Amino acid sequence: MSRFLLVVPPLTGHVAPLRAVAAELLRRGHDVAWCGPEPTTSELTRAGRVHAAGDALEFAVERRPEGLRGFAALKFLWERYLIPLADAMVPGVEKAVADFRPDVVLADQQAFAGALVASRRAVPWVTSASTSTELADPLGALPKIAAWVDGLQDDLRARHHVSCGDLRFSPELVLAFTTVTLTGPITGPGAVRFVGPALAPAPPIGFSWDRLDGRPLVLATLGTANAALGRRFLSECVDALAGMPEVQGLVVDPTGELLSDEVLLAKRIPQAEVVRQAAAVICHGGHNTVSETLACGLPLVIAPIRDDQSMLAQQVEAAGAGLRLRFDRVKAPDIRRTITDVLTEPAYAAAAARVRASFAAAGGVGAAADHLESLLQRG
C-alpha cells in the first residue's frame, strides 16, 4: 500500500478527473487523502479525509469579474488567482504532507502549492493536467507574455524557498486526461502520459425522463459557473431549438429565468446520463463536458467563453468533431444552422467516433493508476 495526497484548487473541472483516479487507487488498496481550500474541496470530492488548505470562498470562481477576455483574462488568472491561491494553500499543504506522509503528491496543474511543498520536502510529485491547454504551449508565440509568466513563477518559488522547474509540469510524470487524437501533436514535457478522460460518477440528480419524447435530443449547457454570464446565449439556444421541430431541445438554465413551451428547461440535470441519450451537445467548451460528449461519440457545438475553452473548441473543430460559435455575438439562426450541420453531415459523427475510440484505447483511470504505481516502482 502507498499513500497518495491529491492537491486541488476549488474548481469542479479540476477535481472531477482526480475523483475517478482516487477511487481506482482506493480499489487497488492504496491510501488516499485530499488537500485543498475548504469547504469546497470536501463538497467536490465527497471524501472523508480532506486536509484544509486555504479558504475556498476567497477563491470562488463566481467572484471573477465578467467579461474578461484575452490578456486581461490571463493577467487576472495569474496575478489574482493562481499565484495568490498558491500562497494561501502552502501552509495547509505543508501540514498535510507532515501529517499524512505521502509517498506521492498528485497536484492539479493549477494547484502550485502541491508542487512547491513536494519539491521542498523531496517528495515525488505528479501533475494532473485536467485540460491540455498548457501542454500545447499556448504562449510559445508570445515570448514577452511567456517571460512574464515565468517571472511570476520565479517570484513564487523564491518566496517559498524552492528551486524546482516549471510548477505546471512534474519532471517525473504528467497525467493528461485527453488523447492526441483530440489535441493533435503536442511537443510538451517528455513526461506526459495521455490517459484519456477520467469520468467520475456524479451525485444523483432527479430528472423526469418521461419528458423525452423520442426525437433526437440536443442538450445545451454552460456548466456550473456561468449562470448569469450565459443567460443571453442560453436564451438564443432556446429560440434556436424552438424552431427545430425535428429535434427535442433541453437547455440547462441554472437561474430558472428562461421560459419556453417548445424546449425542455431544467436548473440541473444528471449530465452524463443525459448526454448518453443525446444526439448532439451545445456547450462552452469545459473539459468535462467535452470529454463526456466525445466519450459517447457525439458531435459538439462549442461557444467558448474564457480560459482553455477557446483552445478546446479549436481542438474539437480541428479534429472534425464539431463546430465553433461566437459566444458574445451568436444569434438563434446561427445556432440553428450549426446544429443542423453537425446532425446531418456524417463527417462530424465519424470524427467524434474516432475520438471516442482513442479515449477507450488510452485506458482512462486504470492507465492513470498504472502510471502512478510504475512511478513508485521506479523508486
Side-chain angles (χ1 to χ4, degrees), residues 207-208 211-212 217 248-252 260 262-266:
F207 184 73
S208 300
R211 298 170 70 193
L212 303 184
L217 180 67
Q248 183 174 28
L250 170 57
V251 175
V252 181
S260 178
E262 296 85 9
V263 175
L264 297 180
L265 299 169

Side-chain angles (χ1 to χ4, degrees), residues 114-151:
L116 287 166
V117 174
S119 297
R120 188 160 62 192
R121 287 180 165 267
V123 177
W125 62 282
V126 173
T127 297
S128 167
S130 62
T131 175
S132 60
T133 303
E134 296 292 349
L135 303 179
D137 191 18
L139 301 180
L142 303 167
K144 290 185 178 179
I145 298 178
W148 171 75
V149 168
D150 291 342

Side-chain angles (χ1 to χ4, degrees), residues 28-378:
R28 296 185 182 197
H30 300 294
D31 198 3
V32 174
W34 294 83
C35 183
E38 285 286 70
T40 303
T41 301
S42 291
E43 294 167 357
L44 293 177
T45 62
R46 301 193 295 279
R49 188 183 302 182
V50 176
H51 299 264
D55 180 1
L57 296 179
E58 184 180 350
F59 297 98
V61 70
E62 294 82 4
R63 299 182 61 178
R64 179 177 183 169
E66 294 183 5
L68 292 178
R69 298 290 187 274
F71 180 69
L74 182 70
K75 182 177 174 64
F76 182 92
L77 176 66
W78 278 89
E79 288 187 341
R80 303 285 297 279
Y81 196 87
L82 297 181
I83 298 299
L85 177 65
D87 285 326
M89 287 181 62
V90 161
V93 178
E94 279 278 8
K95 188 174 188 307
V97 170
D99 293 346
F100 184 59
R101 295 180 294 111
D103 298 296
V104 173
V105 169
L106 177 52
D108 178 84
Q109 202 165 35
Q110 293 192 352
F112 300 153
L116 287 166
V117 174
S119 297
R120 188 160 62 192
R121 287 180 165 267
V123 177
W125 62 282
V126 173
T127 297
S128 167
S130 62
T131 175
S132 60
T133 303
E134 296 292 349
L135 303 179
D137 191 18
L139 301 180
L142 303 167
K144 290 185 178 179
I145 298 178
W148 171 75
V149 168
D150 291 342
L152 292 175
Q153 285 204 61
D154 289 340
D155 293 343
L156 179 64
R157 286 189 292 261
R159 279 198 301 280
H160 296 283
H161 311 289
V162 174
S163 58
C164 62
D166 195 319
L167 299 169
R168 296 169 293 181
F169 307 111
S170 163
E172 300 291 338
L173 175 62
V174 177
L175 293 176
F177 294 101
T178 184
T179 62
V180 176
T181 302
L182 177 58
T183 66
I186 285 180
T187 57
V192 175
R193 299 294 179 266
F194 291 89
V195 299
L199 303 175
I205 297 173
F207 184 73
S208 300
W209 293 99
D210 57 359
R211 298 170 70 193
L212 303 184
D213 61 16
R215 287 178 293 168
L217 180 67
V218 177
L219 169 66
T221 176
L222 296 179
T224 58
N226 303 291
L229 184 61
R231 191 183 187 285
R232 188 206 71 84
F233 179 80
L234 292 176
S235 179
E236 296 291 339
C237 287
V238 169
D239 290 346
L241 292 166
M244 300 181 68
E246 70 274 20
V247 304
Q248 183 174 28
L250 170 57
V251 175
V252 181
D253 171 29
T255 68
E257 297 174 355
L258 298 177
L259 300 172
S260 178
D261 293 328
E262 296 85 9
V263 175
L264 297 180
L265 299 169
K267 288 187 176 182
R268 301 176 66 200
I269 61 169
Q271 182 165 294
E273 290 88 339
V274 171
V275 168
R276 285 195 285 270
Q277 302 296 319
V281 174
I282 308 167
C283 70
H284 60 308
H287 193 270
N288 285 345
T289 302
V290 169
S291 295
E292 287 176 347
T293 303
L294 292 175
C296 292
L298 302 179
L300 284 148
V301 173
I302 302 182
I305 302 174
R306 59 167 81 94
D307 301 334
D308 64 326
Q309 297 158 11
S310 181
M311 179 166 286
L312 283 167
Q314 179 180 329
Q315 291 177 355
V316 168
E317 203 165 42
L323 292 171
R324 176 176 181 164
L325 295 173
R326 290 288 299 272
F327 175 80
D328 290 331
R329 301 180 182 179
V330 69
K331 298 291 187 181
D334 305 308
I335 297 172
R336 189 179 305 122
R337 185 166 50 251
T338 307
I339 296 170
T340 300
D341 286 345
V342 300
L343 287 176
T344 59
E345 172 50 61
Y348 295 108
R354 287 194 295 272
V355 177
R356 176 183 59 189
S358 76
F359 284 178
V365 293
D370 289 344
H371 287 305
L372 290 168
E373 289 180 333
S374 294
L375 175 66
L376 287 167
Q377 291 166 5
R378 295 198 303 268

